[in-house]
Amino acid sequence: MAKILRITPALAERHEALWLRLTALQEQARSVAAKKPEALLGDEVRMAAEAVLHDAQIFGPKRRAQEKLPPAAPSWGGLSVQLGQALALLAAYEASHTGWSEEDRFRVWLTRPLPMPVRRLLPAEQFSPEGRDEMRSIRQKLALRMDRAFRDHFSRGYQAGIAAARRAEPLGEAVPPARLDPGFPAIRQL
């Protein structure tokens, strides 16, 4: 049986924040490297890349975390490769410190007191089952309200058309706009 590796919630949150920073920087590096792989980095980009690469080292093997920090590659193409390697390091760490929660039906960090969800992998509505049920109820009420308003508007228009035809008048804006019932949600309120 495999040994379960548990981590602290703070380390899991640090990993997720670093993942976001690394992927954003790698996307930028990849897009520039696709056009000009030999172009040199500016000082700001180089310092940001070195900071992110340094932060990623703690998620690697212990011997690697104690090694001296390599400088960022001088070109965009090299930086793209370095950031890809750092992302692979984070992915390996995540794979060894997460598991599947059968009860919640999503991946969780194996943190010490209780498992916590890997937030970047969750659909937005997975955070709160109550919120998902509430949104379903709101959608049903809104659909019912829209259907009722359509039928009322049609009926008033039909009656106004019949009355205008009997008087032999042209039908203008004879139908007043529908009054909304404040008990139902409106699109503006969502």
Side-chain angles (χ1 to χ4, degrees):
M1 184 168 173
K3 180 181 173 187
I4 296 176
L5 302 173
R6 298 221 178 253
I7 61 171
T8 63
L11 193 58
E13 289 175 5
R14 187 174 176 183
H15 181 282
E16 290 198 38
L18 182 60
W19 181 277
L20 294 175
R21 287 181 20 222
L22 242 171
T23 53
L25 189 57
Q26 206 236 2
E27 285 296 317
Q28 179 186 5
R30 194 176 357 180
S31 66
V32 173
K35 297 173 189 163
K36 301 181 263 182
E38 299 300 321
L40 298 178
L41 300 176
D43 287 339
E44 289 180 13
V45 175
R46 184 187 49 78
M47 289 188 307
E50 286 178 355
V52 169
L53 291 169
H54 179 266
D55 290 346
Q57 275 189 316
I58 67 160
F59 296 104
K62 295 295 180 203
R63 69 181 186 288
R64 188 168 178 189
Q66 295 169 353
E67 293 175 6
K68 187 177 179 205
L69 173 68
S75 68
W76 283 99
L79 180 63
S80 179
V81 170
Q82 273 185 317
L83 294 174
Q85 291 170 340
L87 278 172
L89 191 70
L90 289 180
Y93 184 85
E94 183 179 308
S96 64
H97 292 86
T98 60
W100 179 257
S101 171
E102 193 60 45
E103 175 184 325
D104 298 320
R105 312 283 298 158
F106 50 74
R107 292 197 67 76
V108 294
W109 286 103
L110 302 174
T111 53
R112 288 208 186 110
L114 291 172
M116 60 187 264
V118 179
R119 283 191 220 117
R120 67 180 179 79
L121 299 178
L122 281 178
E125 60 185 39
Q126 284 282 6
F127 279 111
S128 165
E130 298 85 23
R132 191 172 56 231
D133 293 339
E134 183 179 331
M135 283 304 295
R136 184 178 300 126
S137 170
I138 289 173
R139 282 189 201 106
Q140 289 171 346
K141 287 178 183 177
L142 187 57
L144 179 65
R145 180 179 181 181
M146 289 170 65
D147 185 52
R148 200 176 287 155
F150 173 76
R151 290 178 189 279
D152 289 347
H153 189 67
F154 179 81
S155 177
R156 281 195 317 274
Y158 183 77
Q159 294 300 325
I162 290 176
R166 286 186 182 147
R167 291 188 306 264
E169 305 174 355
L171 180 61
E173 191 61 37
V175 179
R179 306 285 301 160
L180 299 178
D181 180 14
F184 284 97
I187 292 177
R188 289 185 301 272
Q189 295 171 346
L190 294 178

